[in-house]
Amino acid sequence: MDPTPLAYALIATDLDGTLLRGDDTVSDRSLAALARVARAGARHLVVTGRPAPRVRSLLADLGCTGLAVCGQGAQVYDAGADRLLWSVRLDRELAETALGKIEAEVGQVYAAVDQDGVDGLTLIEPGYRMPHPTLPAVRVGRRDDLWCEPISKVLLRHATLSDDELAAVARSVVGSLATVTMSGPGTVELQPSGVTKATGLALAAEWLGIDAGRALAFGDMPNDIPMFDWAGHGVAMADAHPELKAVADEVTLSNEDDGVAVVLERLFPTGLPARR
């Protein structure tokens, strides 16, 4: 007789503020919980705003050799083959136009870009400060240098506006030029129009043959809202943004308190039989 189907066959986790602790590491408890998931036959997918080149080492630490959704859904990355199976670029002329519209409303903003491709760089213009100082970036001399190669997204900061304020203004003026997201402290982004974490996750899940209703998603910021809308069950971290908590099916502990592991240990108990 076939074993009872798993309630959730796909576990989708954001990284920053969710699976990762503040020092960019994954706790032993979380690693053990993800190992339970694998033994039970479910798939774990990282779904992150970070571009593919910035997650290689993390995926290796997690033992991920399959798919990962990167760049806010603009990239589906095959970690085992170190190649992009799918990627969407942000038109650089549209990005410049969108920046101009935002600056017409709020004054100077500081910008950075993630270049497309598995070896793409993160370029930052003068005045831009990286929200994650551990992530590598190349400082350029002027804004025009940001557009030297194809890009997947633009990252924005403002000297005085909060992330919520900057994101609200950007959404009000950018229109269909780009999708505006907020993915963490100091991280307001422009990505290709219509692209979200949900679009990349849905494509990866289709390749894996897993329906949305059997997906469990974890996140902490507004950029995770489309993923929660798509997945069968969305779990927000304890210190998640209020907008995400408002649409979550469940709230767990913080990333520092192993909130992801707490839920996975409940849903994938040690006595669950291994899947063939």
Side-chain angles (χ1 to χ4, degrees):
M1 184 173 65
D2 291 335
T4 303
L6 293 171
Y8 297 107
L10 177 62
I11 312 303
T13 62
D14 172 48
L15 286 179
D16 296 290
T18 302
L19 185 62
L20 295 181
R21 296 180 291 190
D23 61 358
D24 266 12
T25 62
V26 182
S27 72
D28 290 341
R29 183 177 179 182
S30 292
L31 289 172
L34 291 173
R36 286 193 191 193
V37 167
R39 287 194 299 271
R43 303 293 293 266
H44 170 227
L45 259 67
V46 164
V47 185
T48 178
R50 298 191 188 196
R54 304 288 89 81
V55 296
R56 274 197 188 103
S57 61
L58 286 169
L59 293 175
D61 291 344
L62 290 168
C64 293
T65 58
L67 303 183
V69 179
C70 305
Q72 303 292 12
Q75 301 172 329
V76 177
Y77 174 63
D78 183 336
D82 190 28
R83 67 188 182 101
L84 291 174
L85 301 183
W86 181 79
S87 67
V88 182
R89 294 173 174 176
L90 175 59
D91 183 276
R92 285 168 281 178
E93 290 187 7
L94 293 182
E96 284 192 276
T97 300
L99 275 176
K101 287 179 174 291
I102 294 168
E103 290 188 318
E105 295 292 323
V106 301
Q108 184 176 16
V109 298
Y110 300 102
V113 300
D114 284 335
Q115 293 179 334
D116 188 39
V118 294
D119 295 313
L121 302 173
T122 297
L123 304 182
I124 58 178
E125 72 173 352
Y128 185 88
R129 181 169 52 87
M130 287 289 288
H132 298 287
T134 60
L135 295 180
V138 176
R139 189 170 297 280
V140 298
R142 56 198 180 100
R143 179 169 292 178
D144 286 350
D145 296 331
L146 297 177
W147 321 120
C148 63
E149 298 288 344
I151 62 173
S152 60
K153 65 178 177 179
V154 178
L155 301 90
L156 305 176
R157 302 197 74 161
H158 191 274
T160 59
L161 293 180
S162 70
D163 298 331
D164 287 294
E165 290 169 335
L166 180 57
V169 171
R171 291 189 184 103
S172 71
V173 299
V174 165
S176 62
L177 294 174
T179 296
V180 179
T181 61
M182 183 171 59
S183 60
T187 314
V188 175
E189 302 177 355
L190 305 178
Q191 59 200 69
S193 182
V195 171
T196 68
K197 282 190 174 184
T199 58
L201 178 56
L203 184 57
E206 182 180 357
W207 280 333
L208 296 173
I210 300 173
D211 296 332
R214 300 188 66 205
L216 172 67
F218 293 86
D220 72 310
M221 291 299 291
N223 65 320
D224 295 314
I225 291 174
M227 180 168 68
F228 278 27
D229 289 342
W230 179 84
H233 192 81
V235 182
M237 311 309 289
D239 48 0
H241 193 283
E243 290 181 16
L244 185 69
K245 283 186 175 180
V247 302
D249 298 296
E250 179 180 347
V251 177
T252 186
L253 301 181
S254 73
N255 59 322
E256 299 293 344
D257 294 322
D258 295 315
V260 171
V262 168
V263 175
L264 294 181
E265 288 164 0
R266 185 187 81 228
L267 296 176
F268 294 87
T270 53
L272 197 67
R275 308 286 300 188
R276 291 185 172 85

